[in-house]
Each structure stands twice: as C-alpha cells, then as structure tokens.
Amino acid sequence: MKLELFKRVRTRDNAAMDLATTPLNQRGDHRGIRLEHAYRTHDGLMTRGIKTVDSTGAFLVGELERLDQTLHLPLAAVTWSRDIDLREDVTVADEASSFTLTTFGSAGNLGAGNGIRNGKAWIGKTSDQIGGVGVDTGKIPQALTPWGLEIKYSILELESAAKMGRPIDAQKYEALKLKHQMDIDEQVYVGDANLGATGLVNAVLVTNVSNLPNGAAASPLWANKTPAEILADVNAILQSAWAASGYAVMPTHILIPPKQFGAISTQVISAAGTVSILKYLLENNIVTASGQGRIIIQPAKWLVGAGAGGTIGTEGTVDRMVAYTKKKEYVRYPMTMLQRTPIQYDSIYHKSTYYCRLGIVEVVYPETVAYRDGL
C-alpha cells in the first residue's frame, strides 16, 4: 500500500492536515487550528483551540464512548406559587386589574369627639339631630401587561432531532416554560423597573419599614445575635404588623434570605441544647402563643440585598425580612394562564406563539405587611 503525504491541505473545518499527524492527547484526538485566545462556548466551558458544535445538539461520539441521553436542563428555582395566592378572575381580554378600598366614618355625638372612651352614637328620648355614617370608596387600577414568546423550528431540525432521540420541539417548550416561570417569580417578588412596578418584598404602599436594632454585640446581623435576640426581632415585626392592622390581622408568613434561613435551621439555641433556632422561633412567637395558628418561616432568594440601600441579589449588602398574611383578600397576584396559537406552517418552519398577561402584585391592605432591614 502506498502512503501519500499531505502538505498544508485545508479541510472543511479549516484544520491543517499536516498538523493532524500530531496527536492532541493519549486517546488519539488530533488538533485542528489554534485560536488566538480562549472562547466561551454555549455550555459555558472555556475552550482554547477546540471547535465546538454542541449548541446544535449533535456530537461526535467515539465507538467506545457511552453517551448519556438524559436531558440535563439548567438549574433554576421559582417559589412564587408558595408565597402568594393568585387572583384568577382576570382574562386575556383585560388590560388592567383593579380593586377598591372602602373607608367608613362616623361623627361622635354629644360634642365629645371620637377619642378613646368618646365618640359613641348615643341618642336621647327627645333627640332631633341624629348622626349618620359615611362611606368612601376608592379604586386602585394596575396594568395587565401582555407576555409572549415564540417557538420556531424547521422541518430539517425536527428530522435531525428525531434521529438523535432529542426532540427539539420539546426542548424549546421546556425552555419557554422555564422562562415563563422565572419571569413570574421576579415580577411577584420585586416587580419590573421598565413598568415602574414593585413586588411583594419592595411594595411602595408598605410604610411599615425600619432597620433591625443592634444586639449585645453592637450589630443588627443575625450572625452576631443570640437566639433570644433573633426571637425578639421576629416577635417585633409580627407585633408591628398586627398593631398596624388595628390588631385585626396577625401575620402568617415570614420570608428571610436563604443564608439566614440556613443559619437558624442548623444552629442550636445553646451548646447543651438539641433544638435549632428555627424550631425555637416557631414555638415561641406571638402568633403561636395566641392560638391563632402557626407562623411559617421560608427562605426567599429575592430578599438578598432587598433592604433600603442594598442591591437585590448581591451578597453582603442590606438584606430584608418580610412579614405578611398569605390570604387572597390581603395580598395577591393577578395573571392569566399560558395559552398558545395554533401551529403555523411557514415554508419549512413550524412556529407557535405562547402568550398570557402578567399583572402587578396587589397589596390590598398594606398595613398587614411589614419590612425589617439589616439582618
């Protein structure tokens, strides 16, 4: 057999054939052309001088290589459905959601005013002037903004994906659903800057906002506080929201950043104790003691840096704690379910648009919500 030597022959992938005689590693892989610097591929790996085509879903697999066909999707967590109730009466045809707030008023009789121990509606046998009540109702409207994404793929992509056993249509649908859930999660907790909207953890209507007091270590951070001081902070925010509602509504939920939640979940109240700080808080707060239910404490990533002067999502800035009542009549989120158009056939392409309307968190009773910063 006659062997022919190639000299500086360019192949389709621009690899120089004379370089192919030099193995890249012990597995027999050969190098292509060298790139001038490192590039980031679609999977986030830093590569130098290595051509990648992984974004297409097609790979070169060796004869003795076992490829795991499982689809490993991006890691993401959404918790909005855990922390807020939906307002489900809105439709795609609606352009805004609104609610009303009603205020009652009544003047005190006998000229004594409406202070404590005064202001009752007394009348006498010969009274000819009887007072009445006043009702004032105001409407608060908020936009329902259309949301939509298109899924589009060609017949050639479908055929190639089917042959590889990784359906491109299903993968794109999973990506769209994840994007939909992540957008809702962000809208529910922190709102949207372009729309001028706020969320559950930064609502502008909430005025019960303050910093946590310093502990014995001269710091408001829970990492520097004792279990008793942390319990005092929890009871203080619960008491504050309860008092702001005229002692009509006790908070049922507390949200804290994941770092603080992890600390109180694992740290015991004393060196000789076996009870975590979290369990200690759940058993000794004013809600549990009152017999009106049990408080629920949950972690929320959007509280990292959500305090006044902090940067949302940035560790080491001002974190926030939120206390509120998770009931539809106090705070809720209006949105419509995800829908899609029929599949359209355009030349070799199949495409369909998924759409819905996303609203703005409705804090119907702002006095039932309280924020504390600096934990």
Side-chain angles (χ1 to χ4, degrees):
M1 178 182 295
K2 182 179 180 181
L3 298 177
E4 295 183 1
L5 297 177
F6 293 90
K7 187 69 175 177
R8 304 300 300 178
V9 179
R10 292 287 180 176
T11 62
R12 284 190 175 183
D13 62 355
N14 294 325
M17 291 297 291
D18 59 343
L19 294 178
T21 59
T22 304
L24 181 64
N25 52 40
Q26 295 179 351
R27 295 188 298 271
D29 296 332
H30 293 277
R31 69 177 76 246
I33 62 172
R34 290 183 178 273
L35 303 180
E36 63 274 13
H37 55 79
Y39 289 88
R40 184 173 295 278
T41 64
H42 289 281
D43 58 5
L45 296 178
M46 293 300 296
T47 60
R48 182 177 296 277
I50 302 175
K51 282 186 170 291
T52 61
V53 291
D54 58 347
S55 60
T56 65
F59 308 93
L60 296 177
V61 181
E63 292 185 53
L64 299 180
E65 177 182 347
R66 179 66 61 185
L67 175 64
D68 181 8
Q69 297 288 348
T70 304
L71 291 178
H72 298 93
L73 304 178
L75 295 177
V78 293
T79 56
W80 65 269
S81 60
R82 179 199 69 189
D83 294 332
I84 199 167
D85 292 330
L86 285 180
R87 178 179 170 181
E88 300 171 335
D89 62 333
V90 295
T91 68
V92 177
D94 300 323
E95 295 186 349
S97 66
S98 61
F99 58 94
T100 61
L101 282 179
T102 301
T103 303
F104 295 155
S106 177
N109 290 336
L110 304 178
N114 286 321
I116 296 177
R117 301 184 71 236
N118 292 308
K120 299 178 182 65
W122 304 124
I123 63 172
K125 291 182 179 181
T126 60
S127 296
D128 57 0
Q129 294 291 331
I130 299 178
V133 295
V135 177
D136 178 70
T137 302
K139 185 185 73 169
I140 301 178
Q142 296 184 131
L144 279 171
T145 307
W147 181 97
L149 282 176
E150 181 184 72
I151 290 182
K152 179 180 178 181
Y153 40 83
S154 69
I155 297 175
L156 302 178
E157 287 178 312
L158 279 176
E159 292 295 332
S160 298
K163 185 173 182 179
M164 292 185 295
R166 290 187 290 272
I168 187 64
D169 53 342
Q171 292 182 64
K172 287 190 174 183
Y173 179 57
E174 291 298 324
L176 183 144
K177 288 195 299 181
L178 180 58
K179 169 65 174 172
H180 177 244
Q181 289 295 307
M182 292 177 67
D183 283 359
I184 297 174
D185 201 60
E186 183 177 9
Q187 184 74 354
V188 164
Y189 287 105
V190 297
D192 184 87
N194 294 326
L195 299 179
T198 55
L200 179 63
V201 306
N202 60 349
V204 293
L205 294 178
V206 176
T207 58
N208 190 350
V209 185
S210 64
N211 295 323
L212 289 178
N214 289 340
S219 171
L221 300 177
W222 279 9
N224 301 323
K225 285 189 173 183
T226 65
E229 292 172 337
I230 295 175
L231 177 62
D233 289 342
V234 169
N235 278 329
I237 190 174
L238 294 174
Q239 175 73 28
S240 178
W242 187 27
S245 69
Y247 296 102
V249 180
M250 267 193 168
T252 62
H253 285 63
I254 289 180
L255 300 179
I256 59 177
K259 182 177 180 180
Q260 286 82 342
F261 183 83
I264 66 174
S265 299
T266 56
Q267 184 178 347
V268 295
I269 59 174
S270 67
T274 59
V275 176
S276 68
I277 297 178
L278 177 59
K279 187 174 181 181
Y280 174 65
L281 299 178
L282 294 175
E283 293 178 348
N284 295 278
N285 61 82
I286 61 174
V287 177
T288 302
S290 69
Q292 298 188 33
R294 297 183 63 85
I295 197 71
I296 296 176
I297 302 177
Q298 295 282 7
K301 64 182 180 181
W302 296 104
L303 290 169
V304 177
T311 303
I312 295 178
T314 303
E315 294 276 0
T317 57
V318 184
D319 295 341
R320 170 165 286 181
M321 172 170 57
V322 179
Y324 69 105
T325 302
K326 182 181 175 287
K327 288 186 178 180
K328 190 182 299 185
E329 55 263 40
Y330 303 129
V331 59
R332 65 219 181 178
Y333 182 65
M335 61 171 285
T336 65
M337 296 298 102
L338 193 63
Q339 304 177 55
R340 72 175 178 88
T341 62
I343 296 179
Q344 300 176 8
Y345 303 97
D346 183 8
S347 184
I348 64 172
Y349 291 97
H350 296 176
K351 54 186 178 181
S352 179
T353 299
Y354 288 76
Y355 62 94
C356 67
R357 282 187 183 269
L358 301 182
I360 300 171
V361 169
E362 296 179 346
V363 185
V364 183
Y365 291 96
E367 56 268 30
T368 63
V369 183
Y371 300 151
R372 293 294 180 270
D373 297 342
L375 70 161

